[in-house]
Amino acid sequence: MEGLQRLEQVQRSIHLLHSVGVSDANPAAERFLADFTFFLMECCGEIDVSLKCQLITKHISKISGLFCSNELQFQEQGSNQIGNALQPNPEPEAAMIGIDAMIRSNSTLEDFCRSYFMFHKMETNQPQLVFRYLPMLSFTESYIYQLDGLNENLLQLSSGGVPTSSINFEEDELNLCANSVRIKDPFRPLLSILESRGLLTERIIEELRYGEKYWALERKLCRALVRNKEISIEDVTRAINLKSFDYRVLNLLLYQLRGEKVNDLHMEFLSISELLVEVSDDLFDYENDVVENSFNVLRMFVKYYGASAAPIMMAKFISEAEVKYDQLFKALDPQLSMKYQKRCEDATKEGGKTCGPSLGTWHIPPVIEDEDGYRSSLSSKTL
């Protein structure tokens, strides 16, 4: 988590340097300038930034002369070893969440309880059951939201003109990274907590890996749209299918908390239901997602298929998913299927929608072919 925050700080620093005309075509040079800026900001007794700059200006030629004469070569080679030797033994990274992430996760937790508890033969009007499992469910969802928030910040910063390559981030790499520390497992602290309580399973690990994959695809696709680059339809469909990974994590965790075997039919049905809900939400939020440069399946279809074909292909995609949904829905226990259908209808109406999968109707909004022009027109209206 600390590494991700460091990465966000580096991006903000590069963006600030760009705003005053400090930039370089070499990504490594830009990263050095950002790190150097951080170095100047570090506390060093009573020496302020102005005096630091004066000292550097006064002595830099002599210091660089030492490098040119190879007198500092030994110290440079050994500095990392000395620094590492002085560092205390690293302790396991603590899994911490902020109040903002907890607040943002509330709506998902409420929906999960009202929509998924019935698949565990539980009722939301039984507070003793809700609060028995709420701590772990809430902590897990809040942790995911915290990482998701950092991912969104990185996406918006890179979309705003900060070159991603300047912060050692590879577009096709699925791991989040920062500085010299490459965070190959941002979920490690959460996994440690689940494992210590005997709740961790291979399927939970797999779904969290899918979450990392989704974030990587989200960044890749949204950056491609802003930079007018080609995208893959396989990436698009993969991303929309992975998007609700947090619901599947919560569901698998609830099975563990209750000591029950996972019901594969229920998991498969809920996965296709999640897909249709995600598509419905994307259609409902389409214009806002264009403005915010957020992942939206219709945006991606417009980019890949073109403005005229995108609605047709979107309707085809929905129809195919609905066929699978209907097949699995009929395989459910009749009483359970009725309860779930009622819940879906209530959720759709509560969200202010008049169409969607639960109501049997769909509305594909007019597509936006020129996203830059659309955003510019909205900006001019607010001036």
Side-chain angles (χ1 to χ4, degrees), residues 315-355:
K316 181 175 181 291
F317 182 83
I318 292 170
S319 297
E320 291 173 352
E322 284 189 317
V323 170
K324 186 175 181 181
Y325 177 92
D326 290 340
Q327 292 173 345
L328 293 169
F329 184 80
K330 293 174 182 177
L332 296 177
D333 175 81
Q335 186 174 1
L336 176 60
S337 61
M338 289 178 60
K339 290 179 66 175
Y340 188 74
Q341 180 67 17
K342 178 64 166 59
R343 165 59 192 153
C344 290
E345 292 173 359
D346 291 342
T348 300
K349 294 173 182 177
E350 289 169 8
K353 302 177 185 177
T354 58
C355 59

Side-chain angles (χ1 to χ4, degrees), residues 214-318:
Y214 167 70
W215 286 327
L217 288 171
E218 179 184 33
R219 292 189 299 270
K220 177 182 178 181
L221 290 166
C222 291
R223 283 199 305 267
L225 261 65
V226 168
R227 300 172 185 179
N228 198 29
K229 292 185 177 181
E230 297 300 317
I231 62 172
S232 161
I233 194 60
E234 289 79 16
D235 283 347
V236 175
T237 55
R238 180 69 167 154
I240 192 65
N241 276 279
L242 294 178
K243 194 173 182 180
S244 289
F245 76 94
D246 57 328
Y247 276 87
R248 293 185 284 277
V249 169
L250 293 179
N251 204 18
L252 291 168
L253 181 56
L254 187 54
Y255 278 114
Q256 282 296 103
L257 288 167
R258 291 176 56 78
E260 295 181 347
K261 182 180 178 181
V262 176
N263 188 311
D264 290 326
L265 171 62
H266 291 176
M267 289 293 297
E268 187 178 6
F269 167 75
L270 289 168
S271 292
I272 193 66
S273 177
E274 292 155 4
L275 172 62
L276 288 169
V277 171
E278 290 290 2
V279 172
S280 176
D281 288 345
D282 278 6
L283 297 180
F284 189 75
D285 298 329
Y286 174 61
E287 291 84 0
N288 287 336
D289 287 342
V290 169
V291 174
E292 298 294 331
N293 187 34
S294 298
F295 174 82
N296 183 291
V297 68
L298 182 56
R299 284 188 70 205
M300 304 303 158
F301 271 47
V302 172
K303 173 64 178 178
Y304 185 81
Y305 292 111
S308 59
I312 299 172
M313 298 308 296
M314 189 78 263
K316 181 175 181 291
F317 182 83
I318 292 170

